Amino acid sequence: MERLARIEGERIGNRLILRVPVSFRKHRGRKEIHAAGAGPELAKPDHALLKAIARAHRWRAMLDSGKFETVRHLARAERISETYLARVVRMTLLSPKLVEAVLAGNPPAGLSLKTALEPFPLDWSEQDTWFA
């Protein structure tokens, strides 16, 4: 069992000085503060998968609005491959349950950006077992 960090404090006049044991770590180019003994970390979302889902819905809306007639036109405007754009747009067909799990930071073990870009069942109940 992990011991909780001890926070120490002292009063000097009308000031209260607290000492909290923390460590600073670099993660993905950013500094993060980690409290010693703070317990299990909260689930962190898969940012690559989240970004792809957001792009999928954005691109789908652009296609549905008629701003771009075809995937080819949109892909040229976005300067990406047509096939990649089509595979990403297919993520709009993920079940709301799976998208919520991704947003909460706890997607099923089988759901990643790589697996979401591959063909998957369109039926939402089948997706639960497919990505399990």
Side-chain angles (χ1 to χ4, degrees), residues 36-50:
E41 288 191 30
L42 298 174
K44 292 185 180 178
D46 180 345
H47 293 287
L49 184 56
L50 279 174

Side-chain angles (χ1 to χ4, degrees), residues 53-117:
I53 291 171
R55 282 182 173 167
H57 284 279
R58 180 176 150 259
W59 291 339
R60 183 60 178 225
M62 292 169 86
L63 289 168
D64 290 345
S65 73
K67 185 175 180 180
F68 294 94
E69 293 180 19
T70 64
V71 169
R72 173 174 284 154
H73 291 121
L74 179 55
R76 282 185 184 157
E78 294 287 319
R79 296 182 179 162
I80 57 172
S81 154
E82 289 176 49
T83 55
Y84 176 74
L85 189 137
R87 289 183 310 175
V88 171
V89 167
R90 191 175 51 235
M91 284 188 217
T92 60
L93 303 174
L94 285 172
S95 76
K97 180 181 171 183
L98 289 174
V99 174
E100 285 177 10
V102 171
L103 288 170
N106 56 356
L111 180 57
S112 66
L113 179 58
K114 181 180 177 185
T115 59
L117 289 174

Side-chain angles (χ1 to χ4, degrees), residues 7-39:
I7 299 173
E8 298 176 5
E10 71 178 283
R11 184 173 294 278
I12 301 176
N14 63 352
R15 291 184 180 172
L16 179 63
I17 298 174
L18 296 175
R19 290 181 184 83
V20 181
V22 296
S23 62
F24 295 89
R25 297 181 188 151
K26 265 195 160 179
H27 180 70
R28 295 183 181 174
R30 297 180 142 188
K31 288 182 184 175
E32 293 181 349
I33 299 173
H34 293 269

